[in-house]
Amino acid sequence: MTERAETAAQDTAPRDVEQDTGHRDDGHRDDGHRDDGHRDTAHLEVPPGTPGHPHSDVPAPLDPTSTETSPLDVVVVTGLSGAGKNSAGRVLEDLGWFVVDNLPPALLLPMVELGARGDVRRFAAVVDVRSRAFSSDLQEAIRVLAEAGHHPRVVYVHARDEVLVRRYESNRREHPLQGSGTLIDGITEERALLTGIAGEADLWVDTSDLNVHQLRATLENAFAREGKAPPLTATVLSFGFKYGLPLDADLVVDARFLPNPHWLPHLRPHTGQDPDVRDYVLGQDDARPFLDRYTDVLRLLIPGYRREGKRYLTLAVGCTGGKHRSVAIAEEFARRLRADGVDTTVQHRDLGRE
């Protein structure tokens, strides 16, 4: 399965993942124009750090006729409009990646090869919907990159329909594929258009319930390291079944077979992160055997995932409300995976919703 990791809606966090609906927080628009009517050519055509940028220390480009290139690590950020692609691109830029916004798929290989002739070693491109053939064009561009010896990876950024609708309505902007239809029509058409590339993505990031800081942590876990990414990184995600299954889960574990601390008045106000709830949940007769046996399953799966080139794993642990049992079990799974040498982060999707 593809790897999928996860911006909360604007009303759930003081600083949400930027809404990719055309405007940036600094007053610039992602189409290369500023609200004051000037064309922002530095943002559109010459990002900071690009050879030739007036504030860049990077030397001018080498002879374009040169054929000497070195393989690059390449990340292509794509996904649904309004889901946070540009926010993801800025995180990668902060992590030291050379990032180009809104790059057409046909220009992906030329830009990578130009960077490979210089000092660029980690290249990222934010690719948006621009044509009906977008998905197939991007898939072909990625295939050509791999055949040229580069190391492309695809990050697919998405969110639930109701979250996308809320973000677009807050900015009062049209969806790029809306046309004469409704906003939902545009979102639905874009989902269908992205089906092919979504199925081939290396990492899925569902931003529905992430704020900008959680998005940064997710991408840092995957891309912050110098050199090649580790063989496999894991995210253990707790959730409540009553709020729906996480769409980006590779494996789902149901912790509802354990007694629910919700029914104990002295435990109800606490969460699975508190020692009293954790000790209650992990102290149940079935808890340790369950954890031991499923840990053995993970120890069997992870080497196989690594052999098959899988780099990201999301293990979702659910209980009724995502407050007690799933949180305690998720924390314990994360502890065990780290002890086995797996780079692991833990997230609690629904903690605080009750």
Side-chain angles (χ1 to χ4, degrees), residues 49-53 56-62 118-119:
T50 304
H53 188 278
S56 173
D57 294 327
V58 180
L62 301 178
D119 296 329

Side-chain angles (χ1 to χ4, degrees), residues 332-349:
E332 178 62 16
F333 272 131
R335 186 191 68 79
R336 293 180 176 217
L337 286 170
R338 292 188 190 111
D340 284 350
V342 179
D343 194 356
T344 305
T345 60
V346 62
Q347 298 177 9
H348 303 297
R349 190 191 74 177

Side-chain angles (χ1 to χ4, degrees), residues 49-262:
T50 304
H53 188 278
H55 302 294
S56 173
D57 294 327
V58 180
L62 301 178
D63 182 359
T65 61
S66 172
T67 59
E68 296 182 4
T69 61
S70 301
L72 263 65
D73 287 327
V74 181
V75 172
V76 176
V77 181
T78 189
L80 297 172
S81 300
K85 296 187 300 298
N86 290 314
S87 292
R90 284 192 294 276
V91 171
L92 289 173
E93 188 171 23
D94 291 343
L95 295 176
W97 291 73
F98 183 93
V99 180
V100 177
D101 288 342
N102 295 333
L103 185 68
L107 296 182
L108 190 55
L109 180 60
M111 285 293 295
V112 169
E113 291 187 336
L114 181 62
R117 296 190 187 109
D119 296 329
V120 175
R121 286 296 168 264
R122 297 194 298 173
F123 179 92
V126 180
V127 182
D128 206 343
V129 174
R130 286 293 180 267
S131 69
R132 298 287 175 175
F134 161 80
S135 182
S136 59
D137 287 350
L138 182 55
Q139 288 173 282
E140 175 65 14
I142 292 170
R143 184 188 64 80
V144 171
L145 273 176
E147 290 180 349
H150 300 289
H151 312 293
R153 286 171 284 175
V154 177
V155 176
Y156 181 75
V157 184
H158 66 112
R160 297 190 299 270
D161 284 358
E162 65 270 21
V163 175
L164 296 174
V165 168
R166 187 160 57 245
R167 292 173 186 170
Y168 268 99
E169 288 180 344
S170 69
N171 276 356
R172 300 179 181 179
R173 295 184 61 83
E174 290 187 355
H175 189 278
L177 297 183
Q178 182 173 341
S180 59
T182 65
L183 178 56
I184 283 293
D185 291 337
I187 294 172
T188 302
E189 184 175 351
E190 187 175 34
R191 283 193 187 277
L193 187 64
L194 291 168
T195 299
I197 193 64
E200 297 181 2
D202 297 280
L203 176 65
W204 276 43
V205 182
D206 187 343
T207 65
S208 302
D209 301 300
L210 296 184
N211 60 37
V212 68
H213 305 294
Q214 292 167 325
L215 174 63
R216 173 175 292 275
T218 299
L219 295 176
E220 283 180 349
N221 185 54
F223 299 114
R225 300 162 188 81
E226 293 293 336
K228 293 185 178 180
L232 184 140
T233 59
T235 298
V236 184
L237 173 72
S238 72
F239 72 96
F241 277 97
K242 71 179 183 179
Y243 301 114
L245 286 168
L247 297 178
D248 56 344
D250 297 302
L251 303 169
V252 177
V253 173
D254 188 351
R256 291 176 296 181
F257 70 95
L258 296 170
N260 192 349
H262 174 81

